[in-house]
């Protein structure tokens, strides 16, 4: 997460088709500027990638009336450093990533540790669609129809012990399929964390699908997190391990740049990133910037988690 790609300044019509999108993004690269986190200046966007149609979604907008971001953008403009730092290149590099067999390990400070195959997880927990805003720390955002189930269901079933204070999430480590994991700049595997009460909040969603279909590899299939009141980097992809722990986990981004990325990472328009403002964002598919909402518009559901905390110190 260190620079913003040229496509962050790409106008709406470029998202209409993948091919057009890729072609035009290449042209815009010359005009790119180094700015943000979670991204990089795209050098050579990958052409092609699988063409997949969206499935049925129940809604067309979020609860604020904001329209869904296009399927092409949701599945063609991704941050996934295990593959590449180029957002437009992830889909193609990830298309042969093996999402089966897949086992999730739930352990640490729990009474009922378990290893669950993804198929059993899907059977055990009924899936629901939730339309969430997704705000990247780089200053762009989307509205995405995820399918999944509340993380708290899984956690309750595992029975955290009294010592458990945090939840640590770990992504898969598979350098043979994930070329980005050869990069020495990051401490692989990708790790994220939540305080236990944050993880128990009903908004925290374990995602298995996008746009009414099983999730595609580029979106973190077969299992990723969506924590919509936090910057996108907290929403870890390709999860293989969930551990209950008593000390605050160090995430990949905290290890990489501790002065820029904190543990909490709540969306907060009043606290700028050290290198740019967080007051506004560019909704992918829109031309002008819009104001960023505290907690990404989910304050009613989550602000109470932070009562009495200094949200500037705990960025
Ligand atoms: N998870 C893993 N394992 N690796 C990553 O590079 N990127 C994060 C997050 N989860 C990332 C990850 C960032 S910076 C963002 S903004 C979101 O995934 C992007 O999710 P999307 O590509 O589905 O929009």
């Amino acid at each position: 997460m260190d620079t913003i790609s040229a496509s962050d300044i790409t106008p709406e019509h470029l998202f209409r088709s993948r091919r057009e999108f890729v072609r035009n993004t290449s042209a815009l690269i010359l005009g790119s500027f180094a700015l943000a986190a979670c991204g990089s200046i795209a050098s050579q966007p990958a052409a092609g990638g699988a063409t997949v149609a969206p499935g049925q979604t129940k809604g067309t907008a979020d609860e604020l009336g904001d329209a869904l971001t296009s399927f092409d953008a949701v599945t063609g403009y991704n941050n996934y450093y295990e593959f590449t730092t180029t957002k437009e290149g992830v889909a193609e590099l990830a298309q042969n990533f093996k999402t089966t067999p897949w086992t999730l390990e739930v352990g640490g400070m729990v009474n009922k540790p378990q290893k669950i195959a993804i198929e059993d997880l899907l059977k055990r927990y009924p899936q629901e669609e939730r339309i969430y805003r997704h705000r990247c720390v780089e200053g762009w955002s989307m509205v995405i129809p995820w399918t999944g189930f509340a993380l708290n269901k899984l956690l309750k079933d595992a029975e955290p012990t009294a010592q458990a204070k945090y939840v640590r999430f770990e992504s898969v480590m598979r350098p043979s399929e994930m070329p980005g994991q050869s990069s020495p700049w990051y401490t692989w595997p990708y790790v994220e964390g939540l305080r236990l009460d944050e993880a128990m909040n009903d908004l925290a969603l374990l995602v298995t699908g996008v746009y009414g279909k099983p999730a595609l590899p580029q979106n973190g299939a077969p299992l990723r997190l969506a924590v919509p009141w936090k910057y996108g980097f907290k929403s870890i992809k390709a999860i293989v391990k969930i551990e209950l722990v008593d000390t605050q986990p160090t995430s990949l981004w905290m290890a990489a740049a501790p002065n820029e990325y904190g543990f909490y990472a709540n969306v907060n328009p009043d606290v700028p990133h050290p290198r740019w403002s967080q007051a506004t964002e560019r909704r992918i598919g829109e031309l002008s910037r819009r104001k960023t909402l505290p907690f990404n518009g989910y304050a009613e559901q989550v602000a109470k988690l932070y009562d009495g905390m200094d949200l500037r110190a705990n960025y």
Side-chain angles (χ1 to χ4, degrees):
M1 300 199 292
D2 26 58
T3 53
I4 230 169
S5 87
S7 50
D8 285 342
I9 48 169
T10 304
E12 178 180 11
H13 69 276
L14 299 189
F15 285 97
R16 287 205 187 122
S17 84
R18 168 79 51 87
R19 194 165 294 168
E20 195 188 356
F21 166 69
V22 167
R23 198 172 50 231
N24 285 291
T25 304
S26 310
L28 275 174
I29 282 158
L30 291 174
S32 67
F33 54 97
L35 182 70
C38 239
S40 63
I41 295 178
S43 51
Q44 192 61 62
T51 307
V52 195
Q56 285 298 310
T57 60
K58 277 193 273 165
T60 54
D62 66 11
E63 81 286 6
L64 303 179
D66 294 352
L68 299 185
T69 301
S70 78
F71 177 78
D72 275 2
V74 170
T75 59
Y77 186 78
N78 303 101
N79 271 327
Y80 206 162
Y81 275 46
E82 283 89 336
F83 290 99
T84 171
T85 56
T86 305
K87 295 185 206 346
E88 299 83 358
V90 173
E92 189 178 37
L93 281 172
Q95 64 185 331
N96 295 322
F97 177 68
K98 288 187 198 63
T99 56
T100 49
W102 195 275
T103 305
L104 172 72
E105 190 181 337
V106 184
M109 296 170 160
V110 293
N111 291 324
K112 292 187 175 163
Q114 41 198 304
K115 285 187 180 162
I116 323 167
I118 190 73
E119 302 77 34
D120 297 334
L121 203 68
L122 288 165
K123 272 187 232 148
R124 197 185 295 177
Y125 301 103
Q127 312 290 299
E128 57 178 299
E129 181 174 280
R130 294 203 195 168
I131 297 175
Y132 279 170
R133 290 172 293 287
H134 173 71
R135 168 64 157 84
C136 181
V137 72
E138 295 163 351
W140 55 267
S141 62
M142 298 190 184
V143 179
I144 306 179
W146 300 117
T147 315
F149 59 95
L151 169 64
N152 62 33
K153 292 187 179 159
L154 181 82
L155 294 177
K156 280 178 199 156
D157 286 349
E159 295 182 8
T161 65
Q163 288 76 43
K165 298 281 179 288
Y166 296 90
V167 187
R168 180 184 181 277
F169 303 85
E170 197 176 296
S171 296
V172 73
M173 185 70 191
R174 215 186 280 167
S176 58
E177 286 180 57
M178 300 175 124
Q181 285 185 332
S182 316
S183 164
W185 300 110
Y186 303 104
T187 50
W188 305 108
Y190 198 100
V191 165
E192 260 307 337
L194 294 172
R195 223 171 50 196
L196 182 54
D197 58 339
E198 296 180 309
M200 295 301 279
N201 186 280
D202 199 51
L203 282 181
L205 191 71
L206 276 173
V207 167
T208 55
V210 186
Y211 251 103
K213 300 209 354 177
L216 292 168
Q218 59 266 40
N219 291 113
L223 190 69
R224 60 96 50 90
L225 196 62
V227 205
W229 70 96
K230 293 176 179 284
Y231 292 118
F233 65 86
K234 297 294 289 183
S235 293
I236 182 172
K237 298 177 171 182
I239 301 170
V240 288
K241 202 194 261 186
I242 298 181
E243 262 185 303
L244 281 286
V245 294
D246 58 0
T247 48
Q248 192 180 87
T250 302
S251 71
L252 175 139
W253 288 111
M254 289 163 74
N259 57 329
E260 302 200 355
Y261 306 109
F263 175 77
Y264 284 94
N266 292 316
V267 174
N268 190 342
D270 298 331
V271 176
H273 182 278
R275 291 184 281 135
W276 60 89
S277 164
Q278 294 290 22
T280 64
E281 67 201 53
R282 186 175 67 87
R283 180 67 48 84
I284 301 294
E286 293 179 357
L287 287 175
S288 48
R289 296 183 73 85
R290 49 164 72 214
K291 280 191 174 164
T292 286
L293 303 172
F295 298 107
N296 203 20
Y298 299 99
E300 206 178 303
Q301 293 96 319
V302 299
K304 57 185 177 299
L305 293 169
Y306 311 101
D307 276 352
M309 273 178 69
D310 177 353
L311 295 180
R312 286 185 180 271
N314 295 285
Y315 57 89

